[in-house]
Amino acid sequence: MPDTTPSSTSQQASHWTASTTRQSFLDFFASKEHTVVPSGPVFPQDDPTLLFTNAGMNQFKDVFLGSGSRGYSRAVDSQKCIRVQGKHNDLEEVGVDTYHHTFFEMLGNWSFGDYFKAETISWAWELLTEVWGLPKDRIWVTVFDGDSSDGLEPDHEARRLWLESTDIDPSHVLDFDKTDNFWEMGPTGPCGPCTEIHIDRGGADTDPSDGADREHGVNAGNERFIELWNLVFIQYNRQDDGSLVPLPAQHVDTGMGFERVLSVLQGCHSNYDTDLFTPIFRSLEKQTGHSYAGGAGSAEKDVAFRVCADHVRAVTSALADGALPSNEGRGYVLRRLIRRASRYGLQILGMEEPFLFDLVPSVAAILGEAFPEIAKRVEHIQLVIRAEEESFRKTLQRGIVQFERLTSNLAPGSPLDGAQAYELYATYGFPEDLVSLMARERDLVLDATGWDAARKAHSDISRSTGSFQQVLTPEQMSGLKQTLSTYHELGPAATEGEALVAGLFQGGELDDRLVLDGSPFYPEGGGQVGDVGVINTPGGSFQVTATQKAGAIVVHLGKAAGDLAVGDTATCKVDTTARSCTRAHHTATHLLHAALRQVLGEHVTQQGSYVGPDRLRFDFSNPKGVTAEQIAEVERLVNAAVTRGSAVTTTLEKPAEAKARGVMALFGEKYGETVRVVAVGDDSIELCGGTHVENSGQIGTFVIQQERAIQAGVRRIEAVVGAGAIEHLQEQRRCLETAARALKVQPAELPERIAALQADMKLARKQAKQTSGVDQAKVFAGLKDELQEQGGVDWAVLDLPELTADGLRDLGDRARGHSPNLALALFGRQDQSVPFLILCQGKALDAGLGAGDLARALKPILGGGGGGKPTSAQGQGLAQDKVPTASDQIREAFGNALGS
């Protein structure tokens, strides 16, 4: 195998860089008449069974199920993937070893009913040994040795092809059972035998025959013999009863872990030592002042480096495709990744301030060429990650306060309830080892059994909330063909027509589901809701309340009545009123997007949308708030486009050609071989598969109802058009007139009248404070009495529960003028928090005291946060019961600095 000495490694890496290796894989199969297909989004838009794209085959799943097709029969790609769950993908293992990742690339080549085993095996051998130059004597392969329970013979064909079409050592072809060498999509559906390619990474002093050792060789779960490539031959369909039937067309699905093969080509024993990671490490080293040891370094800081590098790659790729952190589903996974990396940076690398966001440019430099969407969205990604980091630091402090509450009444040696302690992880991101360490520091023992039980219960809940309901199961999809959709046709065919019933599914948690061989109903997608309406047959009817897609199959959801059967002729009729309103809102969304980019800048990109008959919702990236004047200008531009009554035209184009001429494409969307380009005169042009009006004048009045932030860097506009816009304006006018009558002024006079009332209220509050508030003069007199002189400095630490943050600031202002040489700490109360103020001036500064440092040092005690300049600092703690401890710490600091 490649020599792994430093000089050799450098020489290999200089040739087989990540970029050249990836491109060589694509070029090799392109030379074999494969179509190079772009990576799909890292989270699938049209597969509700997956949180994230976790394999290269995901974007071709409909082809394997027989419900979709492509305009090519051979494909090759490098697919972005994220895996964060499953028995081989425990998140807590990522970073601890050198080969687990959350984000990775899957290189793959595909055959859809074209070539099969012979070409797959010979091409794999050619690429590995002739193009990449891997040593043949270090390569091992496994083949399927049959399964009597399924009535399957060993894969004699694959074994024969390895021995006849390659010059592999015959002793390196091993037989394994279906656990290792039979691939299945799920309990039912397409499946077949596979042959796996492994490489021996042992040194020159190892015995090459070790690979055949079932205890220590191939498939024994060690780092010497690693799997490089899995070649799957999809030739059966698993039925509901567990039996296997041959597929009418045989397919090939291969997958190679890019990070893994790159480490081999670059002579690295760790995936993290390749040039997919080293630039990130260099950036992290500059930030932290620590160095990454490389290899299999197990020191805490090396683990922290790997965690940070891996997680920022995963989060960056997901955010670039349009995902956002949240408290559920894939958003919750992203939040966990950011928090886990942030905690490692804080706890192990000493990064007190947000730092992950600064690694994004390095990630973009590495991956941006292969995945341009990452390079284009660096600013947005940084903004979102930084906001999450800042939020987590606040959460972390609250977690420390919660830990104090859990343990404050426990005697030394007591157990710390595992279920309650686990909430520190679920809510605040504290891992088990950290909680256990904090418990030991208090002479407590973490209840590990309770923790594990709580973790299992939480995982069950997370799985149920994070998984999506499948509209059709693989077995239900089996045998169904791609639906012929007519919703884009002109005239009546767009909303009505005849078709044959292809499938009817009833029972379970979902509504009844009806599948036709053709349909005018638009299935939910691209933010647009699915059509509603009715489908009639000679013996029954089906009320359609929603329309969705399962691969290329249109599924009508609703309620069946009467006698419906497969093969019946059905008459379809879409609710044209709902369709018309939805079309108007969809075209208005395009005009809104264009107007936002014109007013705010071309950095604006769509983050999500809802387009229905009742309203539209548009989420977009923008780093700061949108002013009222900007909202008004956006609204004016959209209405101006509506007034122009421009024709809405649709053309079919190739994606690359459309993008080359400036057509707007949406991040995170997966486009086919041809795309629909929707243009609204000269005002807007986008890729879109939805339904639209014929000219912009059909939209009617456009009104923005509200604009607000939904997340750092992401804002939301809700708007209505047509009759809904008129209703909204009339309601606004009624509210305005009601308010004017209540204040006895004309509507135009309302702003002035409200401003006057606000001024009156402010004055009243000030007067009330002066007459009934704390006597600041008396408090100040007490402060002066408490001041004691030490080292030429007047100092005091006072707990003043009667004062709020405003009161502390007022008292501090008075104290500044009282003594030029002052060291003062004041603690107050406000609701459930602890406002505090620290002042240092004159000789106190000369003695080495700094208000900002003192304030920051209170965070571990009080929680919350605080900081400022050497002369003045303030903050807000969360633990009121810890004020005496905080006061003692400040007194000790003052005393040590000032001496006697």
Side-chain angles (χ1 to χ4, degrees):
M1 69 172 297
D3 188 0
T4 57
T5 61
S7 60
S8 171
T9 300
S10 176
Q11 185 177 5
Q12 294 156 17
S14 65
H15 178 64
W16 292 118
T17 65
S19 180
T20 57
T21 302
R22 185 192 295 110
Q23 193 59 48
S24 72
F25 181 87
L26 300 175
D27 290 344
F28 176 81
F29 282 101
S31 73
K32 309 295 185 185
E33 300 180 338
H34 287 60
T35 297
V36 179
V37 180
S39 170
V42 81
F43 59 94
Q45 300 281 355
D46 55 358
D47 188 346
T49 68
L50 292 171
L51 278 178
F52 292 100
T53 299
N54 60 10
M57 61 79 60
N58 290 161
Q59 67 167 307
F60 303 116
K61 186 175 177 181
D62 61 316
V63 179
F64 296 135
L65 289 170
S67 62
S69 63
R70 300 292 187 274
Y72 45 81
S73 60
R74 301 180 179 187
V76 61
D77 74 347
S78 178
Q79 173 64 50
K80 299 175 296 184
C81 299
I82 290 180
R83 290 182 185 174
V84 289
Q85 57 190 23
K87 66 178 181 179
H88 298 304
N89 295 284
D90 186 349
L91 179 58
E92 294 304 322
E93 291 300 315
V94 175
V96 177
D97 57 36
T98 63
Y99 51 88
H100 274 95
H101 302 289
T102 56
F103 172 83
F104 62 96
E105 292 179 57
M106 184 72 80
L107 304 177
N109 60 290
W110 321 84
S111 167
F112 309 124
D114 191 336
Y115 64 83
F116 203 46
K117 296 181 183 179
E119 295 89 343
T120 305
I121 289 173
S122 64
W123 288 341
W125 186 254
E126 179 184 350
L127 175 65
L128 293 175
T129 62
E130 297 181 23
V131 178
W132 287 346
L134 296 184
K136 299 175 183 179
D137 63 337
R138 290 288 180 169
I139 294 178
W140 294 73
V141 299
T142 64
V143 295
F144 178 56
D145 70 351
D147 187 81
S148 58
S149 63
D150 278 331
L152 295 175
E153 292 291 320
D155 193 349
H156 298 300
E157 182 183 9
R159 168 175 277 278
R160 176 180 60 79
L161 288 167
W162 276 114
L163 298 178
E164 294 180 359
S165 64
T166 78
D167 54 349
I168 191 172
D169 183 339
S171 68
H172 285 203
V173 182
L174 308 177
D175 297 318
F176 280 86
D177 63 19
K178 70 177 183 180
T179 302
D180 294 299
N181 280 83
F182 195 86
W183 178 89
E184 303 200 49
M185 183 180 291
T188 61
C191 55
C194 61
T195 181
E196 295 179 340
I197 304 173
H198 301 250
I199 192 161
D200 178 3
R201 306 184 73 177
D205 57 342
T206 59
D207 184 350
S209 66
D210 288 345
D213 186 335
R214 295 301 169 113
E215 294 294 325
H216 307 289
V218 172
N219 280 337
N222 57 68
E223 293 189 41
R224 175 180 166 186
F225 296 92
I226 64 170
E227 177 194 336
L228 287 183
W229 205 348
N230 190 12
L231 315 179
V232 179
F233 307 119
I234 302 175
Q235 59 190 98
Y236 301 108
N237 193 24
R238 177 80 69 180
Q239 304 294 297
D240 290 340
D241 62 3
S243 63
L244 295 172
V245 297
L247 286 169
Q250 297 174 325
H251 310 297
V252 172
D253 162 13
T254 84
M256 177 194 295
F258 180 47
E259 290 76 8
R260 184 171 292 182
V261 74
L262 189 64
S263 71
V264 173
L265 289 172
Q266 294 186 358
C268 305
H269 279 291
S270 165
N271 295 354
Y272 289 94
D273 288 343
T274 68
D275 61 339
L276 286 171
F277 292 92
T278 50
I280 304 174
F281 291 152
R282 299 294 85 80
S283 177
L284 196 52
E285 285 174 338
K286 290 180 181 178
Q287 287 192 64
T288 65
H290 296 289
S291 297
Y292 178 63
S298 59
E300 279 189 325
K301 65 178 179 60
D302 294 325
V303 172
F305 266 75
R306 291 193 286 266
V307 167
C308 293
D310 172 90
H311 290 6
V312 78
R313 278 167 35 102
V315 173
T316 294
S317 66
L319 295 181
D321 279 341
L324 289 171
S326 67
N327 286 326
E328 60 183 15
R330 62 176 62 99
Y332 177 61
V333 173
L334 296 179
R335 180 159 285 166
R336 282 181 63 195
L337 292 177
I338 294 172
R339 290 185 170 188
R340 184 170 185 256
S342 183
R343 181 186 61 77
Y344 267 93
L346 178 66
Q347 183 181 352
I348 308 300
L349 302 178
M351 298 302 290
E352 294 284 343
E353 300 298 327
F355 70 99
L356 286 174
F357 75 98
D358 270 335
L359 301 178
V360 174
S362 295
V363 177
I366 298 166
L367 299 177
E369 181 182 357
F371 311 111
E373 62 277 6
I374 294 177
K376 292 176 181 177
R377 308 207 72 191
V378 169
E379 182 181 3
H380 166 72
I381 296 166
Q382 286 188 289
L383 186 67
V384 173
I385 293 179
R386 180 166 190 163
E388 283 292 310
E389 288 187 87
E390 291 171 344
S391 174
F392 177 57
R393 274 162 169 69
K394 296 175 183 176
T395 301
L396 203 60
Q397 294 300 329
R398 290 195 293 271
I400 292 173
V401 172
Q402 179 62 20
F403 178 81
E404 295 288 344
R405 290 172 179 163
L406 285 177
T407 60
S408 59
N409 295 322
L410 295 179
S414 300
L416 174 59
D417 184 271
Q420 291 183 335
Y422 185 79
E423 286 304 310
L424 291 170
Y425 172 75
T427 305
Y428 304 107
F430 285 34
E432 184 177 8
D433 59 348
L434 177 60
V435 177
S436 181
L437 174 63
M438 294 169 66
R440 287 197 302 272
E441 289 173 349
R442 289 178 172 264
D443 196 17
L444 303 173
V445 180
L446 176 62
D447 168 23
T449 302
W451 177 284
D452 290 340
R455 176 170 55 191
K456 182 179 184 304
H458 186 80
S459 296
D460 292 342
I461 294 172
S462 296
R463 247 192 307 274
S464 64
T465 59
S467 59
F468 304 94
Q469 184 67 60
Q470 214 172 340
V471 66
L472 288 181
T473 63
E475 56 265 32
Q476 290 171 336
M477 293 174 67
S478 179
L480 295 175
K481 302 301 181 183
Q482 179 173 349
T483 306
L484 175 63
S485 293
T486 61
Y487 49 80
H488 280 310
E489 299 292 331
L490 298 177
T495 56
E496 57 188 58
E498 287 191 352
L500 295 178
V501 175
L504 176 64
F505 308 98
Q506 296 176 282
E509 298 179 8
L510 291 173
D511 292 339
D512 296 340
R513 286 145 290 156
L514 180 67
V515 176
L516 307 175
D517 65 349
S519 174
F521 285 80
Y522 178 83
E524 178 183 337
Q528 180 176 329
V529 300
D531 279 330
V532 297
V534 65
I535 299 172
N536 293 309
T537 68
S541 65
F542 193 95
Q543 192 67 39
V544 181
T545 57
T547 308
Q548 297 180 11
K549 285 190 79 172
I553 301 170
V554 174
V555 184
H556 309 85
L557 289 84
K559 188 65 178 176
D563 184 18
L564 288 86
V566 173
D568 284 351
T569 298
T571 302
C572 307
K573 189 169 182 58
V574 174
D575 183 330
T576 54
T577 300
R579 165 77 76 81
S580 296
C581 292
T582 301
R583 290 169 64 202
H585 280 120
H586 202 154
T587 308
T589 301
H590 284 217
L591 294 175
L592 171 61
H593 193 182
L596 285 167
R597 288 172 64 85
Q598 184 175 337
V599 174
L600 302 179
E602 294 193 358
H603 63 274
V604 170
T605 54
Q606 180 175 328
Q607 285 295 125
S609 68
Y610 164 87
V611 178
D614 55 333
R615 61 190 171 91
L616 71 86
R617 184 187 71 230
F618 188 77
D619 298 340
F620 60 98
S621 58
N622 196 52
K624 55 186 178 182
V626 183
T627 67
E629 291 76 16
Q630 288 172 324
I631 289 294
E633 178 62 10
V634 167
E635 195 172 61
R636 187 194 68 77
L637 287 172
V638 174
N639 280 300
V642 170
T643 303
R644 278 190 283 276
S646 302
V648 179
T649 58
T650 302
T651 56
L652 295 178
E653 304 179 24
K654 292 187 178 298
E657 295 173 358
K659 293 176 184 178
R661 69 185 187 92
V663 178
M664 175 73 66
L666 303 183
F667 293 107
E669 289 288 342
K670 177 65 179 175
Y671 297 105
E673 301 156 70
T674 59
V675 292
R676 299 182 68 84
V677 178
V678 178
V680 187
D682 295 327
D683 296 303
S684 166
I685 184 166
E686 288 190 24
L687 302 183
C688 182
T691 60
H692 291 272
V693 297
E694 295 169 4
N695 76 78
S696 60
Q698 295 173 343
I699 294 173
T701 304
F702 171 86
V703 174
I704 294 176
Q705 295 176 300
Q706 65 169 324
E707 187 278 337
R708 60 189 175 90
I710 61 169
Q711 196 158 2
V714 182
R715 308 200 61 89
R716 170 172 292 173
I717 281 179
E718 295 186 18
V720 287
V721 303
I726 300 301
E727 290 177 9
H728 176 76
L729 291 173
Q730 290 175 335
E731 177 61 27
Q732 293 291 300
R733 184 169 62 190
R734 282 192 293 271
C735 291
L736 192 65
E737 291 173 346
T738 301
R741 282 195 299 271
L743 295 177
K744 297 181 174 58
V745 295
Q746 293 298 314
E749 298 170 341
L750 272 173
E752 183 180 349
R753 180 63 177 137
I754 292 173
L757 288 172
Q758 288 175 326
D760 291 343
M761 290 177 64
K762 184 176 180 180
L763 178 61
R765 282 196 295 266
K766 183 177 180 180
Q767 291 173 340
K769 183 177 179 180
Q770 291 174 344
T771 57
S772 60
V774 175
D775 187 342
Q776 287 285 66
K778 185 175 181 180
V779 175
F780 181 51
L783 181 151
K784 290 188 290 184
D785 290 340
E786 292 291 334
L787 287 174
Q788 50 185 306
E789 191 274 333
Q790 193 170 350
V793 175
D794 295 322
W795 71 272
V797 178
L798 301 178
D799 183 15
L800 304 168
E802 68 275 19
L803 294 187
T804 63
D806 288 341
L808 293 182
R809 283 190 288 270
D810 182 57
L811 186 61
D813 289 341
R814 297 181 184 220
R816 281 191 183 93
H818 175 70
S819 173
N821 303 303
L822 182 69
L824 181 65
L826 305 175
F827 296 89
R829 302 292 187 279
Q830 191 160 336
D831 298 326
Q832 302 301 311
S833 63
V834 182
F836 59 86
L837 175 73
I838 302 175
L839 303 175
C840 296
Q841 59 188 34
K843 293 182 179 180
L845 296 172
D846 298 337
L849 291 172
D853 292 337
L854 292 169
R856 283 185 286 272
L858 293 179
K859 288 163 61 176
I861 300 173
L862 295 177
K869 300 177 293 186
T871 56
S872 177
Q874 57 188 331
Q876 189 117 293
L878 301 174
Q880 294 186 350
D881 58 332
K882 298 299 180 182
V883 171
T885 304
S887 299
D888 289 343
Q889 178 169 299
I890 297 294
R891 286 192 187 92
E892 183 178 356
F894 283 176
N896 291 338
L898 299 176
S900 55

